[in-house]
Amino acid sequence: QVQLVESGGGSVQAGGSLRLSCAASGYAYSTYYMGWFRQAPGKEREGVAAITPAGGNTYYADSVKGRFTISQDYAKNTLYLQMNSLNPEDTAMYYCAANLGMTWSLHLNPIAYNYWGRGTQVTVSS
């Protein structure tokens, strides 16, 4: 059974940094597409970053491009999201997601992912 557990969230001042982790288990981690999503209160869940199984390709939402970096450690079956230059608009619950197959045009669309963690809260104060 696929399990995803996020950690690393917290409260930071604007301009600060956080690194989120997503520990994966129950499947062949290196064969799955992985993504980070976020959802703020009253808003829809939005894609933040995605990475292909071999890690060769990454994709970012325009709002985080140049500030966030998605990466993964295959030895630890762990996905990361390094977030720099955080601003209050980044405040949200952050989720990692996984799926075996992918239509790459949907890589930042929540409907493309079948497996989800429970999320970790990120709060950025001004």
Side-chain angles (χ1 to χ4, degrees), residues 66-125:
R67 300 188 298 124
F68 290 12
T69 303
I70 188 171
S71 63
Q72 45 195 354
D73 185 331
Y74 294 107
K76 296 181 178 180
N77 285 1
T78 300
L79 180 74
Y80 300 101
L81 185 68
Q82 178 66 43
M83 306 186 296
N84 299 327
S85 302
L86 286 162
N87 59 63
E89 290 70 38
D90 296 317
T91 295
M93 184 73 78
Y94 282 71
Y95 301 89
C96 72
N99 209 60
L100 182 58
M102 181 63 60
T103 299
W104 195 236
S105 61
L106 298 178
H107 50 266
L108 289 182
N109 192 324
I111 66 171
Y113 294 81
N114 286 325
Y115 304 102
W116 294 85
R118 293 190 174 185
T120 184
Q121 177 68 37
V122 172
T123 303
V124 185
S125 58

Side-chain angles (χ1 to χ4, degrees), residues 16-77:
S17 298
L18 283 173
R19 188 177 79 156
L20 305 184
S21 298
C22 172
S25 62
Y27 67 103
Y29 174 80
S30 62
T31 63
Y32 276 57
Y33 293 82
M34 302 293 295
W36 284 101
F37 293 79
R38 66 186 182 187
Q39 188 167 17
K43 294 187 177 181
E44 293 186 354
R45 189 168 297 189
E46 63 172 348
V48 174
I51 190 166
T52 57
N57 292 309
T58 57
Y59 197 85
Y60 299 92
D62 288 343
S63 58
V64 306
K65 204 170 292 184
R67 300 188 298 124
F68 290 12
T69 303
I70 188 171
S71 63
Q72 45 195 354
D73 185 331
Y74 294 107
K76 296 181 178 180
N77 285 1

